[in-house]
Amino acid sequence: MSINSFENYPMAWKPLLNKNKKPVYQTLAQQLEDDILNGNLLPGTKLPPQRELADYLDLNLSTISKAFKMCGLKGLLSSSVGSGTFVAYDALSNAYLLEDTKPKHLIEMGATLPDNDSYKLLQLQLKSMAQETDYEKWFGYGRAGDSLWQKDAAVKFIKRGGYETTVDHILFANGGQNAITAILASLYKSGDRIGADSHTYPGLKTVAAMFGIHIIPIKAENHIMSPSAFEDACKNEHIKGIYVVPDYHNPTACCMPVENRKEIAAIAKKYNQIIIEDATYNLHHKKAYPAIAAFAPEQTIYVASLSKSIAPGLRLAYVAAPKQYKELISKALYNLNISVSPLLAELAARTIVSNQFEDLIEGHLHEAIRRNEVFDRYLADCTCLGADIGIFRWVLLPGKITGAQFELLAAQQGVQVYAAERFVVGNSSPERAVRVAVCAPETTEELEHGLIILKRLLDSILS
């Protein structure tokens, strides 16, 4: 039977089916993907209802559903109950933020790198370990029994971030991204849905896409995840948990008030939702806020990465998991890692137990404050989110320029920043904003040079 002939019927997408040996749903999915990647279907475009498209193409509804599902699992589509299916705003964005090599001829102000000036203590600790008579043990496989005292160090580190837990909840991962990967791999399956802020950590997006997990944007109020929107998603969007960065949220640099944390925790308990709390930036406060996990310990998997508070090269994160999830996550971590590096785990533990990590945190904090003062000196007239002790700021752009357009202009002038389009989730409309990392430039002089360029670009938009 041929395609129904109603050429003037108003539809956002009218595919043409070519006969080939592939199943029809695969052919349809490929054409949909091609039209998105080629720009024929722009981000935010609402696709025809599946029944309407099935009628137009004279196909079974299940064929259309399979095609949409294939593209949805690739992160190309976003659907919302009662709203329909849209081309995802992040369908074409580059979510891999840290390039393989440092961009040549570009001042790095995109990647959230802490300063390098605080690492002397780690060097001294490492030299001391290398001089011990049994140094060779740092270069073998680590065993669970060898890490008991290191778990005490993990508990101490996590307590410093606003959450008290015990050693029987602790797991080790090769960094925060690795921990998130293990959590999604062990607790979710393809087609599951989890909530997150409408702009979120790109590492979550790449892992979710790899496993076919849909990220549902949770609306915000004043750039903070709305508890009522979270509850609405629990009721209507069939989510099975949320991912949240309550402190210096990446990318908007906002901090969630304690009252909101309590409300998020209470809703998670009410609807039996898993909370994945990313505590990467919890130690950037002068005094830590209580973690969401403190209000919902049985619901929350708390991920405490050392990358921004101590050093990214340690490739270590501590995971505090409720007992009902711990074994599943532990098996996933083993399959992903076998074990974490004994050398780096020991180095981190000694740095924490000796309280030297406090000096490292203080050093990073001092440098961040100093660099934010430079930032404010040049971009004082701009609308920026984020405190003066964070390592990045969220710059809201003037006029009608998009984040992606500004990112391109900045790169052409020699500065790397990251546009909101890189962080946006699903069918959320990206803010006209860019993330600017104040601690990424290697020197203050380089930071100032980059800010001068950005200021000139911003002024040119207004003129």
Side-chain angles (χ1 to χ4, degrees), residues 24-25 31 77 88 100 106 110 116 127 147 189 193 209 212 276 287 337 359 409 416:
V24 175
Y25 78 90
Q31 187 173 160
L77 302 179
D100 291 339
L106 284 179
N116 295 328
K127 282 183 177 180
S147 63
K189 63 182 185 296
R193 298 153 71 90
I276 303 170
K287 183 179 179 182
N337 306 322
D359 294 329
L409 285 175
Q416 177 72 74

Side-chain angles (χ1 to χ4, degrees), residues 324-384:
Q324 67 265 34
Y325 306 130
K326 183 184 175 186
E327 185 176 352
L328 290 171
I329 299 171
S330 178
K331 288 179 179 178
L333 285 168
Y334 180 82
N335 289 329
L336 288 169
N337 306 322
I338 304 299
S339 67
V340 301
S341 164
L343 174 66
L344 298 180
E346 182 74 10
L347 174 59
R350 292 189 184 197
T351 303
I352 293 166
V353 170
S354 66
N355 279 331
Q356 290 179 321
F357 83 117
E358 294 285 3
D359 294 329
L360 279 163
I361 292 169
E362 186 62 31
H364 287 317
L365 180 62
H366 175 78
E367 182 64 14
I369 291 172
R370 190 177 69 80
R371 288 187 174 225
N372 275 286
E373 289 173 351
V374 177
F375 178 95
D376 290 336
R377 195 158 64 240
Y378 285 94
L379 299 186
D381 296 334
C382 301
T383 303
C384 304

Side-chain angles (χ1 to χ4, degrees), residues 179-419:
I180 292 167
T181 302
I183 293 166
L184 295 192
S186 59
L187 302 183
Y188 296 93
K189 63 182 185 296
S190 179
D192 282 348
R193 298 153 71 90
I194 62 172
D197 289 277
S198 57
H199 294 73
T200 195
Y201 169 50
L204 173 74
K205 292 166 51 176
T206 57
V207 173
M210 183 171 65
F211 293 136
I213 297 167
H214 298 280
I215 305 178
I216 305 303
I218 308 296
K219 291 181 180 179
E221 294 176 2
N222 298 319
H223 289 89
I224 303 294
M225 182 183 287
S226 163
S228 61
F230 171 40
E231 183 162 23
D232 182 68
C234 293
K235 293 177 181 177
N236 301 313
E237 295 288 357
H238 311 297
I239 62 172
K240 296 184 177 180
I242 57 165
Y243 168 86
V244 62
V245 186
D247 296 281
Y248 297 101
H249 170 69
N250 185 8
T252 63
C254 294
C255 294
M256 183 181 288
V258 175
E259 190 57 39
N260 288 53
R261 299 173 193 231
K262 291 179 180 178
E263 289 184 54
I264 293 288
I267 294 166
K269 287 188 212 178
K270 179 179 178 180
Y271 294 94
N272 194 29
Q273 294 282 334
I274 298 170
I275 301 172
I276 303 170
E277 181 172 1
D278 188 337
T280 297
Y281 302 98
N282 282 28
L283 296 183
H284 286 239
H285 293 291
K286 293 177 181 177
K287 183 179 179 182
Y289 285 25
I292 295 175
F295 305 113
E298 296 305 311
Q299 310 294 134
T300 308
I301 303 163
Y302 183 91
V303 181
S305 170
L306 279 62
S307 61
K308 305 302 189 291
S309 54
I310 296 184
L314 287 176
R315 302 312 312 140
L316 187 65
Y318 300 132
V319 180
K323 290 182 179 178
Q324 67 265 34
Y325 306 130
K326 183 184 175 186
E327 185 176 352
L328 290 171
I329 299 171
S330 178
K331 288 179 179 178
L333 285 168
Y334 180 82
N335 289 329
L336 288 169
N337 306 322
I338 304 299
S339 67
V340 301
S341 164
L343 174 66
L344 298 180
E346 182 74 10
L347 174 59
R350 292 189 184 197
T351 303
I352 293 166
V353 170
S354 66
N355 279 331
Q356 290 179 321
F357 83 117
E358 294 285 3
D359 294 329
L360 279 163
I361 292 169
E362 186 62 31
H364 287 317
L365 180 62
H366 175 78
E367 182 64 14
I369 291 172
R370 190 177 69 80
R371 288 187 174 225
N372 275 286
E373 289 173 351
V374 177
F375 178 95
D376 290 336
R377 195 158 64 240
Y378 285 94
L379 299 186
D381 296 334
C382 301
T383 303
C384 304
L385 303 180
D388 60 357
I389 52 179
I391 65 174
F392 58 88
R393 304 284 283 273
W394 188 240
V395 180
L396 303 179
L397 300 171
K400 296 183 179 180
I401 191 169
T402 67
Q405 290 169 339
F406 188 86
E407 178 181 324
L408 180 60
L409 285 175
Q412 291 171 348
Q413 296 296 314
V415 180
Q416 177 72 74
V417 296
Y418 287 149

Side-chain angles (χ1 to χ4, degrees), residues 68-139:
F68 276 33
K69 183 176 181 180
M70 282 186 68
C71 289
L73 292 177
K74 292 181 179 181
L76 299 173
L77 302 179
S78 176
S79 60
S80 179
V81 176
S83 298
T85 301
F86 298 80
V87 178
Y89 274 98
D90 56 345
L92 305 178
S93 66
N94 176 13
Y96 298 92
L97 298 191
L98 194 59
E99 306 290 345
D100 291 339
T101 58
K102 186 179 184 294
K104 294 180 179 179
H105 313 302
L106 284 179
I107 297 173
E108 178 61 83
M109 299 182 72
T112 54
L113 304 172
D115 68 281
N116 295 328
D117 297 336
S118 307
Y119 296 150
K120 189 69 175 178
L121 291 172
L122 289 174
Q123 180 195 31
L124 295 174
Q125 188 70 260
L126 193 58
K127 282 183 177 180
S128 174
M129 290 171 59
Q131 292 169 359
E132 294 177 6
T133 56
D134 57 350
Y135 68 88
E136 68 277 0
K137 66 185 178 182
W138 311 130
F139 301 98

